[in-house]
Amino acid sequence: MKVLIVNTSERTGGAAVAAKRLLEALNGNGVKAKMLVGTKESDHISVAQIPHQKRLHWNFLWERLCIWVRLRFQRRHLFEVDMANAGCDITKLPEFREADIIHLHWINQGTLSLNGIRRILESGKPVVWTMHDIWPATAICHLTLGCERFKTACQYCRLLPGGGSANDLSSLIWRRKQHMLEGQHISFVACSQWLAGEARQSALLKGQTVSAIPNPISTYIYRLGDKTVARQRLSLPIDDRIILFVSQRATNPNKGMQYLTEACQLLAKRYPDMVEHTAVAILGGHAEDVVAQLPFRSYPLGYISNEQRIVSVYQAADVFVLPSLSENLPNTIMEAMACGLPSVGFRIGGIPEEIDHQQNGYVADYCSGEDLANGIRWALSEADPTAVSKACLDKVTRCYSHQRVARQYIQVYENAMRPTTAKQ
């Protein structure tokens, strides 16, 4: 079985990380998998780059321009919307021709257009599409944030000026997606049970198959380590209790730094002794922009691309906090747990599927800085660190190992190929 994984980038973003890990998991479990990307960032032999890079760049710019016009020349929401009106035709590439299964992941920002996906479907090759967010089941948005129009038909979009209209951009793209899927079948896979449940309610995906398979993680890379050694490597305080926050961009409002700030301020007020013995490590771009808000000593680590160094960050911490306002199945919680680190996050999306409350972490009430503080306090001062660490490792082994996830995807591939085989 030959599988072609298609993603916009090789390494940048959570979907890229998950797709690359799946590539490794499949190749380690008897499947010949390759990855086709718009942006290649390594010399990995199993990763190919879509040719005509200038075309990809112009696709991206053209789509942004079209969206900018629809937004009445405002930058707000410019990168929260994708319409897939420009992209590359990959059906003529050798990587496509030799594949038995085409496995789409995050293919936005000029990589594939809706017409390009239609050509893939019309090729007759079985298509699997892993949903890293809700975009495949909506018209233009990646996060619904309470909007339920996708359950009937997208229009009056909240992201468009004036709340959109009956025939706005979302309505137009909804019809184009309907045409793309007309008479075709895609095996959709959501990374969490929560997202699968949302996708099954989409009127756009009526009649399509939607299953749920988590992302895999390598327990050879993400693993327990010596906390003191990790802290020395990162120049972090040896004896403090360290709270870790991770985001590609620390100032992204959706990642909830404001709630971590509120929780830390509450803890500092209730437990003054914590001020002297607690620190916050912030991994991600613009980390230095948020440290002044925190009552504890803070260490902006900046953006780190070296995976071994990222592992050291998890190994150095005592609790990982992810107060996101919207999440699918965050890779970061999985990474933390694989390093034996308990996580605290809100009851949203797939987070409660990863965190077993007060066993391997703490699930806080949504948007509650108060309960987030309770979770941090539980992890640092009330939980048995040995038992919690073991629970983290057990969950990763049971649910997210390469072998387990690869087996589940192989079953999806085999099911997707059956109708094709029968026709032949």
Side-chain angles (χ1 to χ4, degrees):
M1 183 188 300
K2 296 180 180 179
V3 176
L4 181 65
I5 294 171
V6 185
N7 198 73
T8 294
S9 64
E10 179 185 356
R11 288 180 174 173
T12 304
V17 170
K20 187 75 176 289
R21 288 174 182 171
L22 179 60
L23 172 76
E24 295 163 356
L26 292 172
N27 282 325
N29 285 272
V31 175
K32 293 180 179 179
K34 286 187 177 181
M35 193 170 176
L36 181 66
V37 297
T39 305
K40 182 172 180 177
E41 299 159 279
S42 78
D43 57 359
H44 200 297
I45 192 171
S46 295
V47 179
Q49 183 168 275
I50 297 173
H52 312 303
Q53 287 297 291
K54 287 185 178 180
R55 172 68 183 274
L56 277 167
H57 182 65
W58 283 113
N59 289 344
F60 169 76
L61 292 177
W62 174 246
E63 182 183 27
R64 289 311 109 186
L65 177 61
C66 293
I67 293 170
W68 189 48
V69 171
R70 292 283 187 159
L71 294 175
R72 298 177 187 169
F73 309 105
Q74 300 175 24
R75 285 185 56 84
R76 190 182 179 206
H77 304 315
L78 181 59
F79 292 96
E80 297 174 50
V81 169
D82 276 299
M83 54 191 293
N85 62 328
C88 297
D89 181 5
I90 66 169
T91 60
K92 296 179 175 62
L93 299 179
E95 292 84 4
F96 182 91
R97 290 198 300 267
E98 68 184 22
D100 300 312
I101 295 278
I102 307 303
H103 189 162
L104 307 181
H105 282 254
W106 204 87
I107 45 72
N108 296 108
Q109 297 190 348
T111 302
L112 295 183
S113 66
L114 300 182
N115 287 336
I117 296 172
R118 177 73 187 190
R119 281 192 288 270
I120 292 170
L121 293 168
E122 289 175 345
S123 75
K125 290 181 183 287
V127 175
V128 174
W129 194 342
T130 292
M131 300 174 61
H132 295 278
D133 56 41
I134 197 67
W135 185 83
T138 68
I140 59 177
C141 73
H142 294 271
L143 301 174
T144 57
L145 296 178
C147 175
E148 296 188 347
R149 294 192 183 278
F150 71 97
K151 295 180 181 180
T152 51
C154 286
Q155 53 183 194
Y156 295 102
C157 181
R158 62 182 176 82
L159 297 174
L160 299 176
S165 66
N167 293 299
D168 62 14
L169 179 63
S170 69
S171 178
L172 171 66
I173 302 304
W174 180 271
R175 293 192 297 272
R176 288 181 180 175
K177 284 189 173 182
Q178 285 181 316
H179 173 71
M180 177 189 76
L181 291 169
E182 187 177 0
Q184 302 292 337
H185 180 265
I186 296 177
S187 299
F188 288 94
V189 178
C191 296
S192 67
Q193 294 287 350
W194 165 79
L195 185 59
E198 291 289 292
R200 291 184 188 114
Q201 297 180 69
S202 170
L204 190 65
L205 303 192
K206 187 177 181 180
Q208 303 289 340
T209 303
V210 181
S211 57
I213 302 175
N215 298 324
I217 189 167
S218 172
T219 52
Y220 296 103
I221 298 174
Y222 291 86
R223 62 187 188 278
L224 280 174
D226 188 295
K227 192 181 296 291
T228 299
V229 171
R231 292 183 176 191
Q232 289 173 338
R233 187 176 296 136
L234 297 163
S235 299
L236 293 173
I238 300 300
D239 298 322
D240 284 357
R241 292 172 295 182
I242 296 179
I243 300 167
L244 175 63
F245 175 85
V246 177
S247 175
Q248 189 171 2
R249 179 168 58 88
T251 54
N252 181 350
N254 188 56
K255 294 302 179 181
M257 171 53 77
Q258 65 271 31
Y259 292 101
L260 176 58
T261 300
E262 180 186 347
C264 288
Q265 289 171 347
L266 286 170
L267 290 169
K269 184 177 180 179
R270 291 176 186 167
Y271 311 99
D273 60 302
M274 287 186 68
V275 176
E276 292 299 318
H277 305 289
T278 307
V280 179
I282 304 168
L283 175 61
H286 301 279
E288 66 282 356
D289 295 340
V290 299
V291 296
Q293 308 164 21
L294 296 161
F296 304 133
R297 286 188 304 281
S298 302
Y299 296 84
L301 303 176
Y303 180 80
I304 298 175
S305 58
N306 181 281
E307 194 165 35
Q308 289 298 335
R309 194 165 177 83
I310 292 172
V311 172
S312 294
V313 174
Y314 288 116
Q315 292 171 343
D318 294 292
V319 60
F320 170 56
V321 183
L322 184 67
S324 294
L325 305 187
S326 179
E327 285 288 353
N328 182 10
L329 196 78
N331 291 324
T332 49
I333 289 180
M334 201 179 298
E335 291 164 358
M337 288 200 303
C339 295
L341 181 66
S343 299
V344 179
F346 288 140
R347 187 175 288 103
I348 188 68
I351 288 177
E353 297 173 34
E354 291 181 291
I355 301 176
D356 300 315
H357 186 57
Q358 293 190 326
Q359 295 180 42
N360 57 30
Y362 190 100
V363 181
D365 294 337
Y366 186 57
C367 291
S368 171
E370 172 91 20
D371 204 27
L372 198 69
N374 293 338
I376 295 170
R377 182 69 181 180
W378 175 84
L380 293 180
S381 303
E382 299 170 14
D384 180 339
T386 302
V388 169
S389 180
K390 183 179 183 302
C392 287
L393 300 177
D394 289 347
K395 180 67 175 280
V396 169
T397 300
R398 189 172 68 253
C399 299
Y400 310 129
S401 69
H402 274 193
Q403 185 178 23
R404 178 174 177 79
V405 174
R407 279 202 307 264
Q408 292 178 77
Y409 267 111
I410 289 170
Q411 185 63 60
V412 170
Y413 297 152
E414 290 176 345
N415 290 342
M417 291 179 69
R418 282 190 187 118
T420 302
T421 305
K423 288 175 186 178
Q424 294 175 343

